[in-house]
């Protein structure tokens, strides 16, 4: 609170990102970053972009990046919007498509930025609870008055929705915008980009942060009907014409072009995830059907906070949310990191069950 803030700012409860601690070296499995570096071609393109042209503004229309994405996804440039991380695109979408008095609908357990944006832009929202196994109850997303947003796969559960189910939700909300946030889609879910040509109310948002190992670059994109893309451009150009800098644009273009490299690291992460999910299952954890670059697990007995603290004391960071007190979200690291995590978890479980604390 401050007497200098306006009423809205005094009322805000901001999003809390996972910690990026500086005090010691941790095995960082708490923010869904890639354990692998970005493609060498990306680093080279960015080094090349560090030149005298930096005195000039970047292209406000980001045409080089849009045309590279358009080609990769077999859509036209008018179907593409790019932004400073998908978080920024989500913020623009909340501003462009949702109305204060018509509630936007999203899952009760989901990406915690959605309620923050709703609050920031003075929007109301409706929360839909998930099933016991964290499945999205599809029918409860039909006929929204204000719009729908769903991450697929969902976070922090890692559970995915089949494309046919996504399509039913889009069909049954023809008069409002349905946003599918596909931050993690490249780790095994089915993308709704294939539906964009068919449904003018569908906006698909993706990012370079997770599956392309570029969280530090801050680049995301949206694919949708030209009418929706133009709405996003309208909001963007009422805020900041240059959300992407020259270096980020160069790196993002190179990343899309190095499809092979990204496929390789995505496949590695998926196979490590499968190993890790099995190891936690073998230790008696509940484990959801993971399709993202993280697993969502609940220890025997359900004391996730104790396990979180124990792992942290051993230099391993995972994510604990008070909202789901029996569960931990664990980002997929390298095989070696996950082996260390499993060993630390095993010994903490033994300590816990023998009564030491
Ligand atoms: C990580 C994440 C984002 C944000 O990605 P950026 O492109 O880094 O802003 C958006 N949505 C979900 C569900 C995420 O987990």
């Amino acid at each position: 609170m401050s007497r200098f803030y306006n009423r809205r700012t005094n009322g805000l409860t901001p999003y809390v990102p996972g910690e990026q601690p500086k005090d010691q070296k941790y095995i960082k499995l708490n923010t869904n970053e890639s354990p692998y570096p970005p493609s060498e071609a990306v680093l080279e393109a960015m080094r090349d972009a560090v030149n005298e042209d930096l005195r000039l503004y970047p292209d406000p229309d980001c045409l080089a990046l849009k045309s590279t994405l358009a080609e990769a996804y077999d859509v036209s440039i008018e179907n593409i919007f790019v932004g400073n991380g998908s978080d920024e695109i989500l913020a623009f979408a909340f501003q462009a498509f949702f109305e204060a008095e018509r509630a936007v609908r999203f899952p009760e357990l989901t990406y915690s930025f959605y309620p923050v944006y709703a609050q920031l832009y003075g929007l109301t929202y409706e929360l839909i609870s998930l099933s016991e196994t964290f499945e999205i109850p599809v029918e409860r997303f039909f006929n929204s008055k204000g719009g729908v947003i769903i991450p697929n796969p969902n976070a922090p559960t890692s559970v995915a929705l089949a494309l046919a189910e996504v399509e039913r939700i889009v069909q049954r909300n023809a008069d409002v915008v349905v946003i599918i946030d596909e931050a993690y889609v490249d780790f095994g879910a089915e993308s709704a980009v294939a539906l964009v040509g068919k449904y003018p109310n569908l906006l698909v948002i993706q990012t370079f942060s997770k599956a392309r190992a570029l969280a530090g670059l801050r680049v995301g994109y949206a694919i949708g009907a030209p009418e929706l893309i133009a709405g996003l451009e309208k909001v963007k150009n009422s805020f900041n014409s240059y959300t992407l800098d020259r270096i980020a644009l160069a790196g993002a273009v190179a990343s899309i072009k190095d499809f092979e490299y990204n496929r390789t690291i995505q496949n590695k992460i998926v196979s490590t995830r499968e190993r890790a999910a099995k190891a936690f299952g073998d230790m008696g954890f509940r484990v959801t059907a993971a399709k993202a670059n993280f697993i969502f697990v609940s220890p025997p007995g359900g004391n996730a906070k104790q396990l979180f603290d124990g792992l942290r004391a051993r230099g391993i960071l995972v994510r604990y949310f008070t909202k789901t007190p029996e569960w931990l979200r664990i980002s997929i690291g390298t095989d070696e990191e996950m082996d260390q995590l499993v060993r630390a978890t095993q010994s903490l479980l033994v300590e816990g069950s023998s009564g030491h604390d």
Side-chain angles (χ1 to χ4, degrees):
M1 287 281 272
S2 160
R3 68 194 169 102
F4 295 119
Y5 301 171
N6 61 28
R7 212 172 308 129
R8 189 188 64 182
T9 303
N10 271 324
L12 292 177
T13 312
Y15 174 77
V16 184
E19 52 182 328
Q20 300 283 359
K22 313 275 183 304
D23 61 326
Q24 65 166 80
K25 204 160 164 40
Y26 286 94
I27 294 181
K28 246 188 120 278
L29 306 174
N30 67 330
T31 48
N32 299 343
E33 292 150 322
S34 175
Y36 302 110
S39 140
E40 188 51 46
V42 169
L43 301 181
E44 207 177 292
M46 291 197 286
R47 282 191 289 262
D48 285 349
V50 179
N51 63 40
E52 289 178 12
D53 287 347
L54 284 171
R55 73 192 169 81
L56 303 171
Y57 281 107
D59 173 11
D61 299 320
C62 305
L63 282 178
L65 178 55
K66 282 185 184 175
S67 62
T68 307
L69 284 163
E71 196 180 330
Y73 287 93
D74 198 20
V75 295
S76 85
I77 288 184
E78 292 71 41
N79 292 117
I80 308 246
F81 181 83
V82 296
N84 188 251
S86 55
D87 284 341
E88 183 186 70
I89 304 176
L90 289 166
F92 289 161
F94 272 67
Q95 290 178 79
F97 307 128
F98 302 146
E99 202 77 73
E101 59 278 10
R102 295 195 222 124
V104 50
R105 195 177 286 176
F106 47 83
E108 183 176 23
L109 183 60
T110 195
Y111 189 38
S112 38
F113 235 130
Y114 304 158
V116 173
Y117 289 136
Q119 188 190 41
L120 178 61
Y121 300 120
L123 308 170
T124 50
Y125 54 90
E126 302 166 342
L127 300 176
I128 304 296
S129 14
L130 303 178
S131 76
E132 280 279 290
T133 50
F134 304 114
E135 310 283 338
I136 302 265
V138 173
E139 285 81 9
R140 296 197 57 202
F141 282 88
F142 292 175
N143 305 318
S144 164
K145 292 277 179 290
V148 168
I149 177 161
I150 297 174
N152 192 33
N154 196 10
T157 63
S158 206
V159 174
L161 197 57
L163 185 58
E165 301 296 287
V166 171
E167 183 164 15
R168 287 172 71 210
I169 292 172
V170 175
Q171 280 171 337
R172 302 293 289 265
N173 284 287
D175 297 325
V176 293
V177 174
V178 175
I179 300 174
I180 305 297
D181 179 354
E182 295 188 347
Y184 303 104
V185 75
D186 295 310
F187 300 106
E190 300 171 282
S191 175
V193 169
L195 303 177
V196 158
K198 231 168 126 182
Y199 299 102
N201 61 322
L202 169 63
L203 187 75
V204 179
I205 301 183
Q206 297 193 2
T207 176
F208 287 73
S209 296
K210 315 295 178 17
R212 296 188 178 92
L214 286 170
L217 200 62
R218 313 306 304 129
V219 187
Y221 52 100
I223 304 181
E227 187 181 354
L228 298 187
I229 300 304
L232 292 171
E233 294 289 352
K234 210 169 162 184
V235 171
K236 180 205 127 175
N237 289 315
S238 306
F239 168 73
N240 176 3
S241 307
Y242 307 106
T243 55
L244 288 182
D245 63 70
R246 286 175 169 270
I247 299 167
L249 287 168
V253 167
S255 175
I256 292 296
K257 291 187 171 159
D258 203 350
F259 177 84
E260 289 291 326
Y261 176 84
N262 292 321
R263 248 303 97 183
T264 305
I265 61 173
Q266 289 155 15
N267 288 341
K268 278 213 274 203
I269 290 165
V270 167
S271 73
T272 306
R273 177 189 72 206
E274 297 307 303
R275 278 181 72 231
K278 179 166 187 314
F280 276 88
D282 290 347
M283 289 189 287
F285 281 63
R286 285 183 285 166
V287 183
T288 64
K291 293 289 182 196
N293 66 338
F294 53 89
I295 53 176
F296 197 52
V297 299
S298 178
N303 197 340
K305 182 60 165 60
Q306 188 180 353
L307 179 57
F308 170 86
D309 290 335
L311 288 171
R312 198 175 197 290
R314 287 162 187 243
I316 302 176
L317 278 186
V318 299
R319 195 89 196 257
Y320 171 78
F321 299 97
T322 48
K323 224 178 143 168
T324 45
E326 300 197 341
W327 294 80
L328 295 178
R329 190 195 70 186
I330 303 175
S331 309
I332 302 303
T334 61
D335 279 322
E336 297 70 41
E337 288 172 329
M338 299 314 276
D339 289 346
Q340 285 191 56
L341 165 75
V342 168
R343 280 198 297 274
T345 303
Q346 265 160 349
S347 76
L348 286 163
L349 289 182
V350 171
E351 274 177 38
S353 62
S354 62
H356 310 287
D357 211 44

